[in-house]
Every structure is written in C-alpha cells, then in structure tokens.
Amino acid sequence: MTALDPAEIFRTEAAELLACLEATLLDLGDRPEDRALVDTAFRALHTIKGSGAMFGFEQVAAFTHDFETAFDRVRRGEVPVGRDLVNVSLSAKDYIRGLIEEPEATAPIIGEAILAELEQLLGTAATAAADGVPAASAPPAVAAAAVQPAGDGWRIGIAFAPDVLRNGTNPLALLDELRDLGPCTVVPRLDALPELPGLDPESLVLGWDVTLRGPATRAAIEDVFLFVRDEMVLTLEPAGLALPDAAPPEPAEVLAPAPVAAAPVPPAAPPVTPSAAPVAAGSDARAAAAARRAEERPASSVRVEAERLDELMDRVGELVIAQARLSQLAGLSADPGLKGIAEEIERLSARLRDTTMSIRMVAIGALFGRFRRLIHDLSRDLGKPVEFVTGGEDTELDKTVIERLADPLVHLIRNAIDHGIEAPGRRAAAAKAATGRITLTAEHVGAQVLVSVRDDGAGLDAARIRAKAEEKGLCAPGAVLTDQQIYQFLFAPGFSTAATISALSGRGVGMDVVKKTIESLRGTIDIATEPGGGTTVALRLPLTLAIIEGLLIRVGEGRYVIPLAAVEECVELPAGERGGRGRDFLNIRGALVPFLRLRSLFGPRASRSCTRR
C-alpha cells in the first residue's frame, strides 16, 4: 500500500476549509451583523495558515497570516462588514486556492493587490465608524467588551469536555498561553477527581479557575481557546467582582493534573457593568449539557481514494453477473440444494451491491453549495439582484453523476440569469420584485432523480426561437412543430438567440454541452416555460451509472438486456397475433400501441424465451 502524500492530505483538507470559508463569507454578505459567521471565517483562515506552515506551503501561510491579521479587526468589531469587504475576501480566498493548487502560476502581485485593497477598505470603514457609524459586525456592547480590558483583570472558569485529550488538545499549553497575557494564578478543580482505581487516563475530569491580572482584553482571552470553544465551557468575569463562593487559596504553581473531566462551572456571564452581579443559575445544566455533547461520539469515517471505490464497484458488478448466470443454471436444474445455494448467493450479492452503491452515494447539497459563489458573481457583474433558493439538498446521487452534473448546471444557471431574469428596470415595469430568483431543487422520482433549475424571468419566446432555427436551417419554414419541439432547438450546436456575443453568452455552446452531458448520463431534459413567469429546465437522471437493472431477453441464440428504466410494462402478445401489412398494433386498454417483432429485425430462427433479471 502506498503511503499518502502529506501535501495531498493538506490539499484535500484545505479544499474543505476553503469551501467552508466561501459559504461563510457569502452568508456574511447577507447577515453582516452575525458575529458567529465572522468567528467561523477567522477559524478557517487560522487553520489554513497553521496547516500550510506545517506541510511546507510557506506562501499560503504567509499570505493567509497577512489576510488574517487584517481580518482580525473585523472580528474585534473595530470595522463593519459590507459587500465590498465580502467581495475582496472572496478574492483572497480564490488567491489562497491558487497558491495551493497552482503555486507557480499564481503571481504574488495579485496577493499584494488584494491585501492593499483590503487595508484600504478597512481603513475607510474604521474612519466611518469613528465618525459615528456603528460597526455592523458586532453590537456596540460586544465590540466594546472585545477591545476594552477589565480594570483589575479577569476571573476565568475553564471546564473541558471529557474527551478533549483524545482529540489532541493540551490544556496545560492553553494555560501557558494565558500566562503570556499577564500574571496568572491557576487553581485546579479537584472535586470531580475519582479514586485511582477508577481513573481513566484519557478522560479529563479536571477544571481550572484562573485569575488573570493585567490589561488583557476579553477577545485576547477568547483567542486562546479559539479552536476548542465547542468542547468546553468558558466563563469570564471582571476580577473586581466578588464571586459567590470564597476563592480557594492561590498556589504558586498549577498542580500537574492527571488527565481528567470537566466539573460543573459557573455559567458564562453576559456583558456586565461594574455594578452588576454575576449570574450563577443554570451552571450545572450547562456543564451537564457540555458533558453530554462530548459523550455523543460522532460517526467515525475513513478517507478512501475514489479509484478504490470504482474498483470495488467493478468487482461487485462482475459478482452480480456471475450470480445471474448461476441462477439461470439453477433454474434449469432439478437439484433443490443447488437452487437453495443460488438463492442464498443472490440474496447476499444483492445486499453487497446495495451497500457498495450506498458508499458511492453523495448528497447533492455539496454540489448545490458551489453555485452560491457563481450566482453572487454573476449578480454583481450583470447588475441583477438575484436570490438563490435550494431544495432537496439531502437527495443522494452517485458521486460520478454528481461530478459530471456540475458543468451542465453551471450553463443552465448562467443562462437563467443572463437570458431569463430581466434587468431591474424591466422587472419594475412588469410589476415584479426587484430581486430575481433562481431555484435549484432535487428529488427522487421512482428510480431516477429529478434536478430542476427554475427562474422567475420573462420565459422563453417560442416564435423567436423558431425564427432563429429557420434562419439556421434547423427546420423548414411553415413546418408544424409543438412548443416542446421548438424548445429543443436550444440544445443544437451553435444555436443562440443572443443579439451580441459577450463573456457569458452568444456563441451557442453552453446548451449543447448540457444536452451531450445529460445524454451521456442516460438522462433526459424537459423544458417548461410561462411567458412572463419564468422557465424550468428539468433533468431526469439515473441514481447510479455503476449497475443497470435490465430485462434480459433471448432472441434466437442471442441474449440482450433492455434497461428497466426504458421498460413501462410487459404485455404478452395474444396467441395468433402475427401482424404485418400495417397491422402491427395491439389494443392496450383501449389505446392502439405499435409493436415490432425482434425475430424479424434480428433475423434469427424463432424463439419465444424471455426472462427478467
């Protein structure tokens, strides 16, 4: 087994962090007052910086450090969050991705320009805030508490989740970081310490009370525990306030703890004034809730290369074929033992097939999330405010289908914004909301998945499409065509109704790519439109491309498989019905349905066998 390349490990983890950072920044553009989003973005930057330095990506670490330093002013509430700040932060995220994926092709001057633009934005925002404009990233009280030190220092309560040691956290190192902020007195909480026979060396049941003297700010203290806040209960109170219970004597050194569990601690107090009293109610409930969260183990997972999953799926496919052959042989045998073994193998292979296929299934929400940035950028470039709505993110598809579905959806969304959604002036004249809407949904429909892209724009103009098709010679003038047939011209190579060629449209390539890709996935495309009300493009796709369930038929000496997705029902040809002379029709529930004789088409000698597998 080949060892994993550490650089590839970093690239994989960085891709996830950058995706999280992009989603967080886009959310921040919609909710600039949400301080939790600012903290999430800062944590992602901090992790990328640390991991980049660890794995030798020095350029990544250096740029991210500079960007993080500037962005820290936002986190501290010194400057507000605005659309311009979000846009330059997204550009910085793209630059970091370029440094990771293609460092030689990424020019340092681009990073310098991004940092310069960021500094200019932050300086302008800070000046506006100083002139009386409140910071949008945090309420004034929170911002003040973040930057103002307590007069006499801080009393800090620390209680970690029991499994924090197993997750790689070193509490003593965090206490040392507190000492770097000023003189500290640290007292361990020993009341939850068990007897030696019951001590679990990997479970933390020890807490600490810390008195920190000096000018440290609340934000500086919170930074120490930035990456473990979800695994602990942290309380901060100005040291000048009296505690409910008498403080224990202050030892000169921290007692060396055996790894142990968080004991109940006083609850986090809200921002207080010098005359406020600390709130102690509910501390036991909060500590217990933290312990319960820590005890709920997340489902373990293992990273597996996609090629190995593909190979496993190939082997399962071969097993299913061999099992089908065995079932055929067992059906021709009179041996009950052979029939029983064949049935058992069929049951086991079916379960193995379903399990293997489920491993390859991925929620389509991961794909939907990529388009938020696309819509954000197109909305800005075209000057069309657009709202992005998604549904059915939990719908699962084979990972191969999802990967190949990305490009078609990009083209459909670009067309919907560029051609479908009107400019603000035209929407106002049509009494529509100023903000357009793109809706992307997915749902299971039988053995298929229906993925729909809908816009609330002007809809398709069938007459204009037909005129363009006649101009290009795709249909004869005056030919009788349904609207659906006319709409299919949109997928013809080189077809476009755009009057001018732009960076987004006009060359007639995008929809051609959509059709070819969907057909290669054994899918279909349907279009529905309402004049003035918008257009919906529906993609019907199979759940997986790895295994196809089919109807096995035999015509003479040949055997053929018809995909079950193409089979509506099986109907037995009535005895004596031969057809011919234009009479190859069956009366099915009052409807005439034409039929073809495969023996006549393929030419072998007659055979009437038909078996479903």
Side-chain angles (χ1 to χ4, degrees), residues 24 111 323:
T24 302
Q323 172 270 317

Side-chain angles (χ1 to χ4, degrees), residues 364-365 368 388-395 438-444 449-452:
I364 202 170
F368 285 3
F388 184 43
V389 179
T390 60
E393 293 92 337
D394 294 335
T395 304
I438 298 291
T439 304
L440 182 59
T441 60
E443 60 178 324
H444 285 113
V449 171
L450 179 65
V451 180
S452 300

Side-chain angles (χ1 to χ4, degrees), residues 262-298:
V265 297
V272 294
T273 62
S275 61
V279 181
S283 62
D284 292 341
R286 287 191 180 128
R292 283 196 302 273
R293 286 194 300 270
E295 291 171 0
E296 293 174 357
R297 304 284 182 190

Side-chain angles (χ1 to χ4, degrees), residues 128-271:
D131 292 340
V133 180
S137 59
V142 175
V147 297
Q148 294 297 329
D152 297 324
W154 300 89
R155 292 187 184 275
I156 308 168
I158 303 171
F160 291 102
D163 63 348
V164 69
L165 297 176
R166 298 186 183 92
N167 296 338
T169 300
N170 183 355
L172 296 183
L174 298 176
L175 292 175
D176 288 339
E177 289 189 40
L178 284 179
R179 287 195 181 92
D180 293 339
L181 299 178
C184 282
T185 301
V186 184
V187 179
R189 299 172 181 166
L190 305 177
D191 48 328
L193 191 65
E195 297 293 333
L196 187 59
L199 182 65
D200 179 3
E202 295 185 353
S203 181
L204 184 64
V205 284
L206 193 69
W208 288 272
D209 291 312
V210 180
T211 302
L212 172 64
R213 304 292 180 181
T217 64
R218 177 186 292 270
I221 297 171
E222 291 176 344
D223 282 352
V224 173
F225 304 98
L226 183 64
F227 297 104
V228 291
R229 287 300 300 271
D230 295 336
E231 301 176 280
M232 68 178 300
V233 175
L234 176 68
T235 62
L236 283 173
E237 296 174 347
L241 297 177
L243 294 177
D245 300 318
E250 301 178 351
E253 297 292 337
V254 180
L255 298 181
V260 250
V265 297

Side-chain angles (χ1 to χ4, degrees), residues 360-362 364 395-399 401-402 405 449 542-543:
R360 295 170 56 92
M361 292 297 181
V362 179
I364 202 170
T395 304
E396 292 187 336
L397 265 172
D398 189 297
K399 71 174 188 65
V401 177
I402 286 184
L405 189 60
V449 171
L543 286 173

Side-chain angles (χ1 to χ4, degrees), residues 581-602:
R581 298 182 181 179
R583 291 185 288 111
D584 294 340
F585 291 91
L586 288 180
N587 187 341
I588 307 237
R589 294 183 291 275
L592 290 179
V593 179
F595 68 86
L596 299 173
R597 289 183 175 275
L598 297 183
R599 290 193 298 276
S600 301
L601 292 176
F602 294 168

